[in-house]
Amino acid sequence: MNFTLNSQNSLPDDATQGCLIGRAWIPNQISGPSPILLKGDQVFDISEKFHTISQLLESSDPLKALSDIEGKLVGSIDALFANTVAEPDTNKAYFLAPIDLQVIKAAGVTFAASMLERVIEEQAGGDAQKAQSIREVVQGVIGDNLKTIEPGSEKALQLKEYLIKQKMWSQYLEVGIGTDAEIFTKAPVLAAIGTGQNIGIHPKSEWNNPEPEVVLVANSHGKILGATLGNDVNLRDFEGRSALLLSKAKDNNASCAIGPFIRLFDRTFTLNDIRACDVELQIQGADNFVLNGISSMSQISRDPEDLIQQTLNENHQYPDGFVLFLGTLFAPTQDREQAGAGFTHKIGDVVRIHSPKLGTLYNTVMTSDKATPWNFGINALIHNLKQRELL
């Protein structure tokens, strides 16, 4: 299914009224990735001042630093969007994932509804055919009131004891309502793909789904500086068979999408906007299948600041900063073909993830072995920056 990106379908509702930064491939005598700033309807290369997005966000006041930068004009936002496709023309500029040296972390099981679906996956052993009957049993015992329970509270501990007696306790409930959140590494540094690119599903997966999420952007001190959107592509069958397969379920070629841009916090956009925002999902298949969903951040079980503090603290540091997927309320149960089989992706699905103040992230589903191979890592970035005399 073909789609064309442009400023109308990709920018936040208030366009560039907020501070939008990102990365783009800049063609030149020596081409390479550069940090960019969006102003009006134009894109500006700011790599002469800040060689990486990480360096910018580690500065004492990124907003002030950006206000003092003129940058080099790259072109119009729409011109870059027109070339932001699965196979772009490398002689023209195009947008990349908006992060570079930041570690890519993710919080799991942060919403009650998706928490229940994880329990169901575990009970079903990753078999989608068994899920519906197990869903009825699990909901009969647990109900749907977990969203009212504060993780780690006395009430949560009492529920844990009850569920153990009912033989319904799960490792997913442990991280969902226990003291410690699930924080894992989603993808290697520089491995994220951006908007317009193909996302990768493992070719052996038969039960999988997108996970539309808000992604917080923090510096090395744990200060939250802004946010973007992400797709934490998930293989329900792999993880359902064993939680020890989490790395194979979560980290495959092109399985982490982030974008389109980072919106920095300022007078137009704050952490409270994140706490109150809705993340919309639409999947359109080549078979005319359409699925819509909403993940409301107001339903999250743990506050975003708590999740940031559980990621970076005295026990773990990230000297180049990090980003954190906040988890999702979305866990699709709508049947796509066979009754009771639920939802799973098909090749060619277009996934649209939107939030009014963050814009829209678009990706097309491909198997991870057929998606564009990841070959631009940290060594390649250092070598490229040296060639361009930016180091």
Side-chain angles (χ1 to χ4, degrees), residues 196-211:
Q197 300 295 297
N198 291 331
I199 52 174
I201 301 290
H202 195 289
K204 291 185 178 179
S205 176
E206 297 179 352
W207 189 21
N208 48 67
N209 63 266
E211 292 194 347

Side-chain angles (χ1 to χ4, degrees), residues 302-346:
R302 299 179 191 268
D303 187 75
E305 285 189 312
D306 173 52
L307 291 170
I308 287 287
Q309 290 164 8
Q310 292 210 38
T311 304
L312 185 148
N313 48 56
E314 64 275 9
N315 299 309
H316 210 313
Q317 294 78 46
Y318 299 96
D320 298 305
F322 66 99
V323 299
L324 179 65
F325 282 74
L326 292 179
T328 185
L329 179 66
F330 179 77
T333 59
Q334 178 182 331
D335 291 336
R336 183 164 194 172
E337 288 185 334
Q338 192 173 346
F343 169 85
T344 197
H345 269 308
K346 288 188 175 185

